[in-house]
Amino acid sequence: MASELIYRGHDAAHTPTSGGAGYTPKPEKRLLWFSRPLRYLIREQRLAFLLVGMALATLFFALAPSSSPSYYSSATAAELALRSAMELARFGEHHRHRAAFEAATSRGFVGGKVPLGIKRKGLRIVVTGGAGFVGSHLVDRLIARGDSVIVVDNFFTGRKENVMHHFGNPNFELIRHDVVEPLLLEVDQIYHLACPASPVHYKFNPVKTIISFSSSSLISSCCGLHKTNVVGTLNMLGLAKRVGARFLLTSTSEVYGDPLQHPQVETYWGNVNPIGVRSCYDEGKRTAETLTMDYHRGAQVEVRIARIFNTYGPRMCIDDGRVVSNFVAQALRKEPLTVYGDGKQTRSFQYVSDLVEGLMRLMEGEHVGPFNLGNPGEFTMLELANVVQETIDPNAKIEFRPNTEDDPHKRKPDITRAKELLGWEPKIPLRQGLPLMVSDFRKRIFGDHFDVNPSTTTTSTATGTGFS
């Protein structure tokens, strides 16, 4: 049987003992509330150890300042005051910059103009087609401004010599890449200039100029330019969307085709032959503008659109078929200047530095565009030939040939919008800029020897087609 313990204290208190008298238990002692902690401290000398620890801590803190190697102990009162003033100034400057940045962001200045009073921080910028004629001049300006520039070029029309003077600069990178293939970069701004702009190049390779979403077999069997305009623009817009960069598309006056309105304003929709020999370039650029605006409206990408009119200057391709380069190269080589048709077609010519200034103002501004960027000074082809004769060789002959297909009769920009919203207009007239281009062409054609016998020079391989 299991044992069991039962408390019977109540019954035991009333049970008589053998002696006959009742049992009374001893009353419990009541202790004061502080007696138990006090006994804990006294027991095992705990109080002594506590007092010794407090004394050591007091001694340490009392002696620490006098034995510390800190520079404040050896500094004079004036030095301490100067240090305090400098720290306070830096603190105040940081908060002023922060407040100015937040105010600018709240007004919408995310990637554009820098508020006054803040030193401009260099941007990381990619320039597609940056080794080309216009692109290389743009790169020069961006590098001079203090930006870090990445040039992306496949050297179809660009030349490494155009950017070689930046080799060794830590703010410059050169990537040999075709924009029809995706590219991953971290940048703040994208200048998209990659596309052959001369008739010789885009007529030689029309599909690469425009092709958009055809099958890979068609793309591989047909080289062309439409591919650059559409697929290349799509890739760069996708990059801008991913990294939050501002995107600038360099479109062209060719979107106006053979215009029925003169001069051309940005609201004019144009008169373009969609199946002509020039349509690969015209329609390719029109499609690129459409894609740019679709990304702006649908994906909130910050975009800018520039419509560039005829531009000339150093680093142009010598035999690219554009009228200014044709005339200059032919006059230097003592060849007849080839004029197509009756020579009464008109064009407007801007110097490359004026164009670069307009592109940079557009990128840094707050207006999407499109903006016409060109010189409103208008010349017939015969007038241009006369200016080239005056500049290079008054005895140069003019040779007339049949006109080319779909050649626009008139081309002149209305730049009112650029003047009002960008504060931009061209500064360099044709007669001032043309000698600078002639000097560059002379060096590249003849080297450093300007007294070359014309009979020993090679004949021009330019087709002379087109006046763009």
Side-chain angles (χ1 to χ4, degrees):
M1 184 174 178
S3 60
E4 185 177 295
L5 177 63
I6 300 175
Y7 178 69
R8 298 184 181 274
H10 175 73
D11 294 338
H14 298 281
T15 303
T17 61
S18 58
Y23 171 77
T24 302
K26 186 177 180 179
E28 296 182 1
K29 294 181 180 179
R30 294 196 176 190
L31 300 176
L32 297 175
W33 62 271
F34 56 85
S35 60
R36 184 168 296 176
L38 186 61
R39 286 204 306 269
Y40 177 81
L41 286 175
I42 296 174
R43 194 175 301 158
E44 298 182 5
Q45 298 181 346
R46 290 189 179 97
L47 181 59
F49 284 112
L50 178 62
L51 295 175
V52 171
M54 293 173 63
L56 290 175
T58 303
L59 181 64
F60 173 80
F61 285 111
L63 298 178
S66 61
S67 61
S68 173
S70 172
Y71 68 90
Y72 289 105
S73 61
S74 60
T76 64
E79 290 174 339
L80 290 175
L82 180 60
R83 291 190 187 110
S84 300
M86 292 174 62
E87 293 291 335
L88 184 60
R90 282 197 292 266
F91 181 78
E93 184 180 4
H94 169 75
H95 279 269
R96 285 196 302 273
H97 286 188
R98 181 65 184 173
F101 174 78
E102 292 176 352
T105 305
S106 65
R107 292 196 300 270
F109 294 98
V110 177
K113 297 178 180 178
V114 179
L116 294 176
I118 300 181
K119 185 178 180 181
R120 186 185 180 281
K121 181 181 179 182
L123 300 175
R124 187 168 170 83
I125 300 174
V126 63
V127 180
T128 66
F133 161 47
V134 175
S136 62
H137 286 279
L138 174 61
V139 170
D140 291 347
R141 283 288 305 275
L142 296 175
I143 291 288
R145 193 176 68 173
D147 296 318
S148 296
V149 179
I150 304 172
V151 169
V152 176
D153 205 300
N154 66 352
F155 300 110
F156 179 62
T157 59
R159 300 168 60 245
K160 192 178 295 184
E161 290 78 9
N162 291 341
V163 293
M164 281 183 62
H165 53 286
H166 295 301
F167 288 5
N169 188 330
N171 291 332
F172 175 80
E173 292 181 57
L174 176 61
I175 301 175
R176 184 165 192 158
H177 181 84
D178 196 322
V179 293
V180 299
E181 302 296 336
L183 183 65
L184 299 178
L185 294 169
E186 292 291 334
V187 293
D188 303 301
Q189 294 178 351
I190 300 172
Y191 285 87
H192 184 41
L193 281 71
C195 184
S198 70
V200 169
H201 293 127
Y202 66 65
K203 289 180 180 179
F204 168 76
N205 215 353
V207 180
K208 188 171 178 59
T209 308
I210 192 168
I211 197 166
S212 54
F213 306 108
S214 302
S215 66
S216 58
S217 60
L218 174 61
I219 294 174
S220 61
S221 62
C222 304
C223 338
L225 181 75
H226 205 67
K227 185 177 181 183
T228 302
N229 272 331
V230 178
V231 179
T233 301
L234 274 174
N235 285 335
M236 292 300 105
L237 283 167
L239 174 62
K241 178 184 176 182
R242 284 192 298 272
V243 302
R246 180 174 289 183
F247 175 88
L248 186 148
L249 172 70
T250 53
S251 186
T252 173
S253 61
E254 294 292 333
V255 300
Y256 300 124
D258 188 5
L260 304 178
Q261 175 180 318
H262 192 76
Q264 295 80 54
V265 297
E266 290 87 351
T267 54
Y268 177 54
W269 290 357
N271 177 40
V272 177
N273 176 8
I275 59 173
V277 294
R278 303 171 68 99
S279 62
C280 61
Y281 187 62
D282 303 352
E283 299 291 5
K285 286 295 188 180
R286 289 162 73 97
T287 306
E289 287 193 19
T290 300
L291 291 171
T292 300
M293 291 307 300
D294 285 342
Y295 265 76
H296 175 62
R297 288 186 290 255
Q300 289 73 53
V301 176
E302 279 195 277
V303 302
R304 306 288 185 265
I305 300 176
R307 289 176 179 166
I308 300 174
F309 283 69
N310 295 69
T311 307
Y312 69 97
R315 302 178 191 167
M316 286 188 76
C317 292
I318 293 176
D319 295 321
D320 66 357
R322 285 185 272 197
V323 63
V324 181
S325 55
N326 268 6
F327 283 175
V328 170
Q330 289 168 343
L332 288 172
R333 290 166 172 160
K334 304 299 182 181
E335 299 172 356
L337 309 185
T338 53
V339 174
Y340 292 82
D342 57 9
K344 294 181 180 179
Q345 310 95 316
T346 66
R347 296 293 185 271
S348 302
F349 304 101
Q350 69 177 332
Y351 192 68
V352 63
S353 62
D354 286 333
L355 171 60
V356 169
E357 177 67 24
L359 292 175
M360 293 177 66
R361 290 195 182 207
L362 175 57
M363 176 66 90
E364 300 300 328
E366 300 303 317
H367 303 281
V368 172
F371 285 91
N372 289 336
L373 296 182
N375 194 321
E378 190 174 12
F379 293 82
T380 67
M381 296 303 98
L382 285 176
E383 290 172 341
L384 175 63
N386 291 332
V387 174
V388 172
Q389 287 175 322
E390 295 170 7
T391 305
I392 302 175
D393 182 7
N395 298 320
K397 297 180 180 180
I398 296 177
E399 181 180 295
F400 290 89
R401 294 183 183 179
N403 201 2
T404 58
E405 184 180 349
D406 292 335
D407 186 36
H409 293 86
K410 291 186 177 182
R411 190 68 62 74
K412 176 183 177 179
D414 184 315
I415 62 171
T416 304
R417 192 176 186 187
K419 285 182 178 180
E420 294 177 351
L421 300 181
L422 303 181
W424 174 88
E425 62 179 321
K427 306 294 184 184
I428 302 178
L430 179 63
R431 283 180 170 82
Q432 179 182 341
L434 190 61
L436 302 176
M437 175 180 173
V438 170
S439 176
D440 173 71
F441 268 45
R442 195 188 303 273
K443 290 179 182 178
R444 286 196 281 147
I445 293 175
F446 303 132
D448 294 331
H449 307 287
F450 296 158
D451 54 345
V452 174
N453 185 349
S455 61
T456 63
T457 60
T458 58
T459 59
S460 173
T461 57
T463 63
T465 56
F467 299 100
S468 60

